Amino acid sequence: MSAPSASISAQDKGFFGHPRGLSTLFFTELWERFSFYGMKAILGLYLWTAVAEGGLGVDKALALSVVAIYGTAVYMSGVAGGWLADRVWGGQRSTFYGGVLIMCGHIALALPIGITGVYLGLIFIVFGTGLLKPNISTVVGGLYSRDDTRRDAGFTVFYMAINIGGFVSPLITGALADGVGFHAGFAVAAVGMAAGLIQYRLGRKNLRGSAAVAPNPLHPNEKGRVYGLIGLIAVAIGALGVLSYVLGDVEGVILMISIMSIILPITYFTVMYRSKKTLPEEKPRVLAYIPLFVAAAMFWLIFEQSASVIAEFADSHVDNHVFGWEFPVAWFQSINPIMIIALAPVFAWLWLKLKDRAPSTPRKFAGALVLVGLSFVLMYFASNSAADGKVTPLWLVLMFLIMTCGELMLSPVGLSVTTKLAPKAFASQTMSLWFLAVSAGTGVAAQLVKFYTTSPSAYFFTLGGAAVVLGVALAVAAPVIRKLMAGVE
């Protein structure tokens, strides 16, 4: 059984009116995000901080690209994770295996072996997150019947787990990185992932079979051919990576991944739309998903720079003293999660209250784009003010407030609409496609962040303005997109 029946879904209200399985996934995701955001909060600082101060002394422009492309690779690997869940393991087992790999990655980062530990750790985390991230969201969707009105609210509750972990972890890893050393911060991230795995195993019985088996399993006669093809693809990607490194060093590898982040979703949409397993009534919904995907990619292009460009701005241009005490720069990364925790219940209540009067999904996406664009336009003014010295942290607080409101209009809603627009045969893989929007956005950002060090103010204004324009265009196109969605909201 891949999902509960409608009657079971309606009767199960053991977790604040939601299915009991949501509590298992809530705390598992909380600990996984604790490890992810805790590591990410100090990764850039570790790369560009001088060796004498405990860092690696990597060139700042290159360090910004590495942080961005790491995010690209993490979400791009979700394609493989979604495929393995759909065809081999199912969502539940894929989630667990992913958590194990993530824990191994943080352990590698915690070892004092320099840049080798960084690359080894990031590779483990990339593959682990690819298995866990798309599939745990699919398991959440499987707890509800398609017509269950609690679905959007359930995803918003689930989204709060991400941000509780995201709020606490930078405070802990940042303090450890400043007080003990960067490797201590990475070590506590490994402990967080271990806690998530324990929580998942203890509460798995409450998932009621949601995504327990592969919905489109490989036929025994297919396995040899498919596994051989997978091996060839892995060898080809590895060879391409080596060639890119030989021709262009680390920057060559970054460029290769950026290009792949654009090619992959284009290929994926084409294959899914043309597949015989995608039913005729499902094809218009695939088309409707394309403009939502583009909008999400633009949103994440800006939003995901919090751990790269915004972290560098905070490190270089923001006064981080309170009553004479200097707090860790990594703590700025906790602003967005605490705002999500405060505002997510408000948005969840708002969508439930408005019901049929709520903005359509395309309009929510359009509003999110406008808001995230305005957050970077605000940083244009902050950057100009920084020319006269370090600026008040209130600039970042206001920027994160605007950005967070945009995130709540797009991210939980996007997770929900993805599970509803997904063709049945591509359930987990379509969720992977949602995360490819993050991958595409950060892939482009990995090339753009190099221009930040040249002119920060121009950088902020250009990207912010582009997002606002795209948001307006999406709002205009909303009626056409809704028609293609064929009643799905």
Side-chain angles (χ1 to χ4, degrees):
M1 180 171 67
S2 61
S5 67
S7 59
I8 292 175
S9 174
Q11 293 168 10
D12 189 354
K13 300 180 179 180
F15 183 60
F16 299 103
H18 290 273
R20 283 184 294 273
L22 184 61
S23 67
T24 297
L25 301 173
F26 178 94
F27 289 106
T28 302
E29 181 75 351
L30 186 156
W31 283 112
E32 188 275 329
R33 292 290 91 181
F34 175 95
S35 70
F36 180 84
Y37 286 112
M39 181 277 289
K40 197 173 180 182
I42 61 176
L43 177 61
L45 294 168
Y46 177 52
L47 289 172
W48 67 62
T49 297
V51 175
E53 298 175 14
L56 295 179
V58 176
D59 175 74
K60 193 165 283 188
L62 177 60
L64 291 172
S65 290
V66 168
V67 174
I69 210 65
Y70 157 67
T72 304
V74 159
Y75 290 106
M76 194 158 39
S77 68
V79 173
W83 184 89
L84 285 168
D86 274 350
R87 306 302 305 275
V88 183
W89 291 326
Q92 289 190 26
R93 279 195 291 167
S94 297
T95 296
F96 180 76
Y97 298 154
V100 172
L101 289 175
I102 291 168
M103 183 178 65
C104 291
H106 290 303
I107 291 172
L109 281 163
L111 298 175
I113 53 178
I115 198 68
T116 301
V118 172
Y119 292 145
L120 182 61
L122 294 185
I123 289 171
F124 272 119
I125 296 171
V126 162
F127 288 120
T129 306
L131 278 171
L132 186 147
K133 192 60 181 167
N135 295 314
I136 193 171
S137 297
T138 300
V139 180
V140 173
L143 295 175
Y144 302 88
S145 63
R146 281 184 175 264
D147 59 351
D148 194 326
T149 57
R150 299 174 298 166
R151 179 183 282 257
D152 277 11
F155 270 101
T156 301
V157 171
F158 176 71
Y159 205 66
M160 285 183 66
I162 298 174
N163 292 284
I164 293 172
F167 165 66
V168 174
S169 56
L171 300 179
I172 296 174
T173 60
L176 286 171
D178 271 21
V180 181
F182 286 104
H183 297 295
F186 295 131
V188 79
V191 173
M193 189 65 254
L197 289 171
I198 294 170
Q199 154 66 26
Y200 185 74
R201 295 300 283 183
L202 291 176
R204 193 170 172 183
K205 62 182 181 295
N206 294 323
L207 301 181
R208 293 185 177 275
S210 173
V213 297
N216 184 24
L218 287 173
H219 189 277
N221 295 335
E222 291 183 289
K223 289 184 178 179
R225 178 181 61 83
V226 171
Y227 291 155
L229 180 60
I230 292 172
L232 286 174
I233 292 172
V235 170
I237 292 175
L240 185 58
V242 171
L243 179 62
S244 300
Y245 184 81
V246 170
L247 294 177
D249 208 333
V250 176
E251 291 186 349
V253 177
I254 292 173
L255 178 60
M256 179 202 76
I257 298 174
S258 292
I259 293 171
M260 287 178 63
S261 74
I262 302 300
I263 293 175
L264 256 179
I266 294 174
T267 303
Y268 222 91
F269 271 114
T270 302
V271 169
M272 190 163 61
Y273 183 78
R274 297 180 63 182
S275 174
K276 293 179 181 178
K277 295 178 180 178
T278 300
L279 303 176
E281 61 269 23
E282 293 174 329
K283 290 183 182 289
R285 293 172 182 167
V286 174
L287 293 178
Y289 196 63
I290 294 175
L292 299 181
F293 179 92
V294 173
M298 183 66 196
F299 178 90
W300 296 118
L301 185 155
I302 291 178
F303 182 90
E304 286 294 324
Q305 292 186 47
S306 299
S308 56
V309 165
I310 299 302
E312 195 288 325
F313 185 86
D315 191 29
S316 302
H317 303 295
V318 177
D319 183 5
N320 60 325
H321 290 80
V322 177
F323 303 117
W325 172 65
E326 184 178 4
F327 62 86
V329 173
W331 285 13
F332 283 111
Q333 299 300 314
S334 289
I335 297 176
N336 167 252
I338 193 61
M339 288 182 173
I340 288 284
I341 294 168
L343 295 176
V346 177
F347 276 79
W349 171 83
L350 182 63
W351 304 144
L352 287 174
K353 185 72 174 177
L354 291 175
K355 294 184 179 179
D356 295 338
R357 294 178 290 115
S360 66
T361 296
R363 288 249 160 86
K364 289 176 183 174
F365 274 52
L369 273 179
V370 170
L371 287 171
V372 81
L374 291 176
S375 73
F376 256 39
V377 171
L378 178 72
M379 289 304 297
Y380 161 78
F381 294 104
S383 182
N384 285 339
S385 297
D388 299 324
K390 290 201 170 187
V391 299
T392 172
L394 291 178
W395 283 107
L396 291 187
V397 173
L398 183 56
M399 182 217 71
F400 276 119
L401 175 61
I402 298 171
M403 190 179 279
T404 299
C405 289
E407 183 184 4
L408 285 167
M409 293 186 70
L410 181 138
S411 192
V413 176
L415 287 170
S416 180
V417 78
T418 297
T419 64
K420 290 185 281 189
L421 290 177
K424 186 176 181 180
F426 294 89
S428 290
Q429 293 178 73
T430 307
M431 186 57 71
S432 300
L433 192 57
W434 167 251
F435 292 111
L436 274 185
V438 188
S439 178
T442 55
V444 174
Q447 302 305 314
L448 295 179
V449 290
K450 301 172 185 177
F451 300 104
Y452 164 78
T453 54
T454 303
S455 178
S457 58
Y459 181 84
F460 286 127
F461 189 81
T462 302
L463 286 185
V468 171
V469 170
L470 184 58
V472 172
L474 184 64
V476 172
V480 176
I481 298 170
R482 288 192 70 192
K483 186 175 180 181
L484 289 171
M485 290 171 69
V488 170
E489 280 292 351

